[in-house]
């Protein structure tokens, strides 16, 4: 008996030993398996998954499918064994999906919040890639922070210490490169009026040798059109990459998918960095069964993906939005793309 089988049996046997009917009592496991896939270039119930209003949109073709993992909870003994034996699902301790210190509703709300944040990051990453306007607003100011009394929520940041800033990371770099006690001039726009203020930097709470401004900057689209993502009942941050690719595809000439069936997964930051996700084996199955021939894999997931890749599915390693686009363009011209092998 291998370790995987032994672990499962050890967990489930107490239910049988107690003489309780397996079809009634639930087991402390959840089943993970292939979930629905959605073409981010297509429609769901007649509504575009990625909708752009207020500007011309380039025609698209093919597929850029986001993938999901289906979670099945409240399993009885026989259901758990059936899912495990299918080879298409896996069992994990229920607490890995629903932590004991949170209700199921709280977990779902958190997943929905992550999904909405991924939509925002996907749009910003696409706009940065296309060199379209993005503004940097002050989202919060610490009451006792160095910038209190100089900056207000809603101000648009232009430069810090003479360095132009367009991203939150640019603000952090401009400030952390200085030391506490340094005075920096900050250019900003408030109510349509350009202003300049001077702030004496404090010390960062986690590193007293680095400067601290005491504000939270937030990137916001600065374009005269609106991007909407129209998917309900989907949670988590892993659709970010595919959403961002769809926005780029619709706002630029040509077809990123080259008319082919491309699927993928990955979180994305506003700067275009692609991050790892969970459930990659099930997403690969879902993509291949839907018809995908190419799958975009976050770099950190490549090892697990390589061990579980279905026949006929090419794995493409991606680290950033730009690298994903470069790979798709290379494939379209008959070239090579980084793989997970």
């Amino acid at each position: 008996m291998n370790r995987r089988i032994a672990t499962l049996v050890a967990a489930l046997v107490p239910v049988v030993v107690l003489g309780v009917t397996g079809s009634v009592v639930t087991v402390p496991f959840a089943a993970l398996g292939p979930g629905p896939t959605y073409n981010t270039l297509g429609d769901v119930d007649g509504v575009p998954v990625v909708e752009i209003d207020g500007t011309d949109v380039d025609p698209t073709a093919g597929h850029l499918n986001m993938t999901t993992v289906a979670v099945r909870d409240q399993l009885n003994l026989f259901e758990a064994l059936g899912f495990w034996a299918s080879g298409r699902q896996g069992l994990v301790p229920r607490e890995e999906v629903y932590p004991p210190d949170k209700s199921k509703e709280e977990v779902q709300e958190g997943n929905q919040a992550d999904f909405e944040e991924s939509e925002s990051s996907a749009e910003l990453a696409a706009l940065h890639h296309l060199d379209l306007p993005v503004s940097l607003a002050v989202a919060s100011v610490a009451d006792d922070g160095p910038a209190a009394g100089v900056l207000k929520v809603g101000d648009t940041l232009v430069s810090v210490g003479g360095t132009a800033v367009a991203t939150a990371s640019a603000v952090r770099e401009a400030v952390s490169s200085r030391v506490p006690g340094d005075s920096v001039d900050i250019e900003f726009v408030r109510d349509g009026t350009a202003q300049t203020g001077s702030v004496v930097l404090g010390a960062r709470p986690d590193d007293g040798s680095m400067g601290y401004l005491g504000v939270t900057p937030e990137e916001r689209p600065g374009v005269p059109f609106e991007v909407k993502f129209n998917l309900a009942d989907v949670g988590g941050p892993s659709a970010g990459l595919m959403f961002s690719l769809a926005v780029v595809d619709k706002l630029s000439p040509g077809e990123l998918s080259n008319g082919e069936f491309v699927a993928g997964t990955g979180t994305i930051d506003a700067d275009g960095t692609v991050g790892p996700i969970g459930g990659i084996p099930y997403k690969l199955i879902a993509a291949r069964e839907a018809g995908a021939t190419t799958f975009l894999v976050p770099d950190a997931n490549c090892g697990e993906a390589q061990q579980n890749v279905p026949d006929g599915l090419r794995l493409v390693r991606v680290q950033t939005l730009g690298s994903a686009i470069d790979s798709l363009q290379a494939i379209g011209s008959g070239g090579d793309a980084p793989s997970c092998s």
Side-chain angles (χ1 to χ4, degrees):
M1 181 180 294
N2 66 35
R3 180 175 298 178
R4 178 167 173 258
I5 297 175
T7 300
L8 180 67
V9 170
L12 296 181
V13 156
V15 176
V16 179
V17 171
L18 288 172
V20 184
T21 305
S23 61
V24 176
V25 173
T26 59
V27 296
F29 287 87
L32 305 182
T37 76
Y38 302 94
N39 184 10
T40 59
L41 300 178
D43 298 348
V44 172
D45 297 329
V47 179
V49 173
V50 177
E51 186 174 8
I52 302 177
D53 295 326
T55 189
D56 293 333
V57 175
D58 192 66
T60 59
H63 288 251
L64 290 174
N65 277 44
M66 58 163 284
T67 50
T68 66
V69 175
V71 179
R72 296 172 175 84
D73 188 27
Q74 299 297 313
L75 306 176
N76 63 46
L77 174 63
F78 300 128
E79 289 172 332
L81 288 171
F83 283 130
W84 174 78
S86 72
R88 299 180 74 258
Q89 279 90 11
L91 295 181
V92 298
R94 187 180 186 276
E95 63 187 22
E96 291 187 11
V97 181
Y98 301 107
D101 60 339
K102 294 183 179 180
S103 69
K104 194 169 185 177
E105 291 71 24
E106 289 174 328
V107 171
Q108 292 170 341
E109 289 173 1
N111 287 337
Q112 184 59 38
D114 288 342
F115 188 69
E116 292 171 1
E117 184 175 349
S118 77
E119 294 174 333
S120 175
S121 296
E123 178 181 2
L124 291 168
L127 296 180
H128 280 305
H129 179 82
L130 296 168
D131 292 324
L132 292 173
V134 173
S135 64
L136 191 64
V138 175
S140 66
V141 181
D143 292 338
D144 57 351
V150 178
L151 295 174
K152 294 182 177 180
V153 172
D155 289 345
T156 299
L157 297 173
V158 178
S159 71
V160 176
T163 301
V165 291
T167 65
S169 60
V171 174
R172 287 192 295 270
E173 291 171 6
V175 173
S176 62
S177 65
R178 298 172 178 268
V179 297
D182 280 356
S183 179
V184 295
D185 289 334
I186 300 178
E187 294 182 78
F188 59 96
V189 176
R190 179 180 296 163
D191 299 328
T193 302
Q195 301 185 40
T196 301
S198 182
V199 176
V200 177
L201 298 179
R204 269 182 54 169
D206 60 340
D207 188 341
S209 67
M210 304 175 76
Y212 172 67
L213 191 58
V215 303
T216 301
E218 178 182 72
E219 296 176 52
R220 297 175 181 173
V223 291
F225 56 82
E226 182 181 10
V227 178
K228 293 186 288 187
F229 301 92
N230 300 310
L231 269 185
D233 301 322
V234 178
S238 64
L241 170 62
M242 304 312 292
F243 277 155
S244 201
L245 287 171
V247 175
V248 171
D249 204 359
K250 292 192 172 194
L251 292 176
S252 59
E255 298 172 0
L256 290 183
S257 70
N258 309 297
E260 301 296 327
F261 199 134
V262 176
T265 188
T267 67
I268 199 161
D269 293 338
D271 64 2
T273 300
V274 175
I277 51 78
I280 190 74
Y282 314 113
K283 293 183 176 183
L284 295 173
I285 293 172
R288 188 67 188 109
E289 290 181 349
T293 54
T294 297
F295 195 97
L296 305 179
V297 183
D299 179 71
N301 290 118
C302 258
E304 186 180 11
Q306 185 64 30
Q307 295 174 3
N308 294 277
V309 58
D311 291 339
L313 190 63
R314 168 171 46 188
L315 303 182
V316 175
R317 180 192 299 266
V318 297
Q319 296 175 317
T320 65
L321 173 61
S323 71
I325 292 171
D326 289 344
S327 291
L328 291 176
Q329 291 174 337
I331 291 171
S333 61
D336 294 326
S339 72
C340 283
S341 59

